[in-house]
Amino acid sequence: MHDLLAKLPFGPWRDAGPIVSVLRLSGVIGQVGPLRQGLTLAGMAGLIERAFAVKKQAAVALVVNSPGGSPVQSALIAKRIRDLATEKNVPVFAFCEDAAASGGYWLACAADEIWADESSIVGSIGVVSSSFGAHEFIQRHGIERRVHTAGDKKVLLDPFSPEREDGVAHLKAIQAEIHDAFKAMVRTRRGARLAGSEEELFSGAFWAGRRALELGLIDGIGDLRTILRGRFGEKLRLRVVQEDRRWFRRIGFRVESLPDQLATQLPAAALAAVEERSLWSRYGL
């Protein structure tokens, strides 16, 4: 009977290889713009759940390609991944592509092992806030700035007013708190694997793959398919978890009102694209 079953077309399913779900974490973290979604827990929760829903899978693989962004969304997404990994008792591997920097590295630290290409940009464990100062411009053009507040620190960082020392001090205190949370995450997830000094590791600097490996920020150099097949065998089956590719549905457009919505949202989308480009440019990408 066994020999007969082995000859039937459906017989080979018994020898199917292990499954690894693959979840892509690509792009800026946080809200980006109306025509392009960034990585947020609200947007990723369903995909993360699906990645961990497969019974008896060997692992979950994260493909990380992000220059960072919102520290809150980085923490929320990483925590959801860790919670499900613990609940399902499934190991997690992260594979860095062009960049796993700042919040992107925070996401990678949700994995039990982190792998990267030799040319991947890794690290940037720091916090940055950027703005502009336009007070001299509006004065030069005879524009009067009128702001009325209840609370003398309500507009500490107003870009249309001269920079205030107490505003900068307040911002730096907040940055220090966020930086401490980031450092704690890295220490917890990487532990004794960290090889560099804290002054170097947590300076906000970033490195290519080989140096990141020397510093203990990653576990090795390699790509997803090669590493996972070496770990789980040649019969490995990769199950890619994807979102709805119909972009107009993902961003809430109705086809009949598309022209009007594009007209109102394109300016904001253009500004968001410039901001997103600036994040990647920090790492020479």
Side-chain angles (χ1 to χ4, degrees):
M1 184 65 176
H2 177 77
D3 293 338
L4 177 60
L5 288 174
K7 294 179 181 179
L8 292 175
F10 55 80
W13 73 271
R14 295 177 180 275
D15 298 322
I19 298 174
V20 172
S21 291
V22 180
L23 178 63
R24 175 170 286 276
L25 302 173
S26 181
V28 173
I29 304 167
Q31 297 294 337
V32 176
L35 299 182
R36 182 174 175 81
Q37 290 186 326
L39 295 172
T40 64
L41 180 60
M44 294 298 302
L47 294 177
I48 297 172
E49 293 282 348
R50 284 167 51 192
F52 284 92
V54 180
K55 295 181 179 180
K56 298 182 180 180
Q57 64 180 335
V60 169
L62 310 175
V63 179
V64 180
N65 193 22
S66 174
S70 165
V72 174
Q73 294 301 321
S74 301
L76 290 174
I77 294 170
K79 183 177 185 303
R80 181 63 57 87
I81 291 170
R82 287 312 316 156
D83 287 348
L84 287 171
T86 301
E87 177 185 329
K88 304 293 185 179
N89 193 28
V90 174
V92 180
F93 296 79
F95 295 89
C96 308
E97 291 191 332
D98 298 292
S102 193
Y105 184 67
W106 196 319
L107 297 182
C109 282
D112 300 295
E113 295 182 21
I114 304 174
W115 297 78
D117 185 83
E118 289 184 343
S119 300
S120 298
I121 298 299
V122 179
S124 190
I125 305 169
V127 182
V128 61
S129 299
S130 59
S131 182
F132 58 88
H135 62 285
E136 292 184 0
F137 175 84
I138 64 175
Q139 288 175 359
R140 187 162 55 245
H141 290 274
I143 301 171
E144 181 183 358
R145 173 72 165 159
R146 296 174 179 174
V147 181
H148 307 282
T149 70
D152 64 336
K153 296 184 178 180
K154 188 65 178 177
V155 288
L156 280 178
L157 302 173
D158 178 23
F160 298 102
S161 300
E163 191 170 65
R164 292 170 49 173
E165 290 186 5
D166 57 341
V168 175
H170 185 70
L171 176 61
K172 286 186 173 295
I174 293 174
Q175 289 179 322
E177 289 186 42
I178 297 172
H179 197 196
D180 286 343
F182 195 172
K183 292 187 288 186
M185 166 67 167
V186 175
R187 292 190 193 102
T188 298
R189 297 300 305 154
R190 299 301 297 168
R193 288 175 287 187
L194 294 173
S197 67
E198 292 209 344
E199 289 75 15
E200 182 177 19
L201 290 172
F202 302 142
S203 66
F206 52 90
W207 303 272
R210 287 291 177 189
R211 181 55 179 160
L213 177 59
E214 292 173 358
L215 293 171
L217 296 174
I218 64 175
D219 296 285
I221 302 296
D223 64 279
L224 181 149
R225 185 175 177 83
T226 301
I227 297 303
L228 293 183
R229 290 184 73 177
R231 187 69 57 91
F232 300 111
E234 295 297 317
K235 292 184 178 181
L236 171 70
R237 292 177 291 162
L238 298 176
R239 174 183 173 272
V240 180
V241 180
Q242 295 179 321
E243 61 186 349
D244 191 341
R245 294 292 182 181
R246 292 165 291 186
W247 64 274
F248 56 86
R249 291 193 178 182
R250 286 190 287 115
I251 61 179
F253 276 128
R254 297 182 61 184
V255 174
E256 62 270 20
S257 60
L258 185 58
D260 291 338
Q261 294 189 60
L262 285 175
T264 58
Q265 297 192 28
L266 275 177
L271 180 59
V274 172
E275 294 175 346
E276 182 177 4
R277 182 65 257 164
S278 70
L279 279 175
W280 287 103
S281 297
R282 290 175 184 169
Y283 308 106
L285 299 172

